[in-house]
Amino acid sequence: MDKRLEAFRRLLDIMDELRKGCPWDKKQTIESLRHLTIEEVFELSEAVLANDMQDVRKELGDIIMHIVFYSKIAEEKGLFDISDVINSICDKLIIRHPHIFGDVKAETAEAVLENWEKIKISKEGNKSVLGGVPAGLPPLLKAYRMQEKASGVGFDWNNKEEVWNKVEEEIRELRAEVDNGSPKDLVENELGDLLFAIVNYSRFLKVNPDDALEHTNRKFKSRFQYIEQKAAENGKSLLDMNIDEMESFWQEAKKNE
């Protein structure tokens, strides 16, 4: 037997035993697993950003286990089972890849994405191009995915220079509202427009803004904790240091990266 199928069968058998005999596993529902699944996805994201392949492998295992767990619970309720889940995604992949399983031509990744959006509307019955973007996505990632989907049906800028001009326009509009002492809601609107434009520009640079911001978050955390470390080594609290001292250690941290 293919070792991949053997490993998957082993997982299915283990899940069957857990649902029969483990008090905790027997108690779980689709609803109770939800927050745990979200946690596992974030842990996978952290492992990917850290480029820790051993951790990626471990977190992928946790996510597969959750998929099997949901499917087992649904099977017990007579709703669907793991074969339905797998066949469903197989069918979707075939439908969305007519350039592989049909006679459609798509020579670039961009052409594939454009085909996907057309297929979702014409064959899968999506009422809105943006309907597939989950409402619960973090705002930065939601903006990126909405822009990608709109681009898939041709609603997009022509080039990154046009997008950069839009970024500069939004910076000027935000600055004008701030300088005029405008109410918070007007400033918030302009700040949102600027962030949305920057997300658009990042897309044209082929940089995921969520990844970029998270890398910067990690960099900031590392440098700031270096300042804390140096303060402790000198018997000080951060509250005892002035900004020049902090900046000096910040620059040291940058050099040590």
Side-chain angles (χ1 to χ4, degrees):
M1 179 186 289
D2 187 320
K3 70 175 185 178
R4 297 170 299 177
L5 299 179
E6 186 176 354
F8 195 65
R9 165 56 65 185
R10 182 184 179 209
L11 176 58
L12 294 177
D13 289 343
I14 290 172
M15 181 54 65
D16 287 345
E17 291 302 315
L18 292 177
R19 284 292 285 182
K20 290 177 184 176
C22 174
W24 185 88
D25 288 282
K26 288 166 64 176
K27 184 179 179 181
Q28 299 313 304
T29 65
I30 286 177
E31 292 76 17
S32 72
L33 290 176
R34 176 182 170 274
H35 76 281
L36 299 175
T37 306
I38 293 171
E39 182 179 325
E40 295 296 351
V41 172
F42 274 106
E43 288 178 358
L44 172 61
S45 175
E46 290 178 5
V48 170
L49 288 173
N51 197 31
D52 185 338
M53 291 300 109
Q54 290 299 316
D55 212 21
V56 167
R57 182 179 69 174
K58 179 178 77 69
E59 298 304 337
L60 285 172
D62 290 340
I63 290 174
I64 291 174
M65 184 275 291
H66 275 246
I67 293 169
V68 169
F69 209 155
Y70 283 111
S71 300
K72 179 61 180 177
I73 295 172
E75 179 184 357
E76 293 168 354
K77 294 178 177 292
L79 301 173
F80 58 82
D81 62 20
I82 190 65
S83 65
D84 296 318
V85 172
I86 295 173
N87 283 323
S88 176
I89 188 58
C90 288
D91 292 342
K92 182 186 289 187
L93 288 172
I94 291 171
I95 290 171
R96 292 190 182 179
H97 291 78
H99 53 291
I100 301 297
F101 303 104
D103 54 7
V104 173
K105 289 187 178 181
E107 303 294 340
T108 65
E110 290 74 18
V112 171
L113 287 174
E114 185 175 342
N115 278 339
W116 281 351
E117 297 307 330
K118 292 177 181 177
I119 289 168
K120 289 174 188 176
I121 293 174
S122 64
K123 294 187 178 181
E124 297 180 15
N126 285 15
K127 295 181 180 179
S128 169
V129 171
L130 304 181
V133 180
L137 275 182
L140 190 68
L141 187 55
K142 185 189 294 183
Y144 185 73
R145 292 293 292 131
M146 288 196 301
Q147 291 169 8
E148 277 191 324
K149 287 184 173 293
S151 175
V153 293
F155 188 76
D156 207 353
W157 300 89
N158 292 314
N159 53 61
K160 66 177 182 292
E161 286 72 26
E162 289 183 353
V163 188
W164 182 249
N165 290 337
K166 182 63 175 176
V167 170
E168 292 183 322
E169 175 188 323
E170 296 298 348
I171 291 173
R172 291 192 297 270
E173 291 180 0
L174 173 62
R175 185 59 185 266
E177 296 293 353
V178 172
D179 289 347
N180 290 336
S182 298
K184 179 183 175 182
D185 61 331
L186 294 181
V187 173
E188 184 179 85
N189 286 340
E190 293 301 336
L191 181 58
D193 290 345
L194 173 58
L195 291 172
F196 196 83
I198 289 174
V199 169
N200 234 335
Y201 188 63
S202 73
R203 187 169 55 84
F204 271 79
L205 297 179
K206 301 189 184 306
V207 172
N208 186 301
D210 193 70
D211 292 344
L213 182 58
E214 181 57 21
H215 285 306
T216 296
N217 287 340
R218 288 168 178 250
K219 184 166 56 180
F220 179 87
K221 181 178 180 181
S222 174
R223 292 175 183 176
F224 192 81
Q225 288 179 334
Y226 182 85
I227 297 174
E228 292 177 316
Q229 174 190 332
K230 288 300 180 181
E233 289 175 0
N234 287 280
K236 291 184 175 182
S237 160
L238 291 182
L239 298 176
D240 300 325
M241 301 174 67
N242 59 44
I243 189 62
D244 290 334
E245 291 177 293
M246 292 185 185
E247 178 63 22
S248 175
F249 288 133
W250 179 272
Q251 294 302 324
E252 279 186 24
K254 288 179 64 175
K255 291 178 183 178
N256 293 335
E257 289 175 349

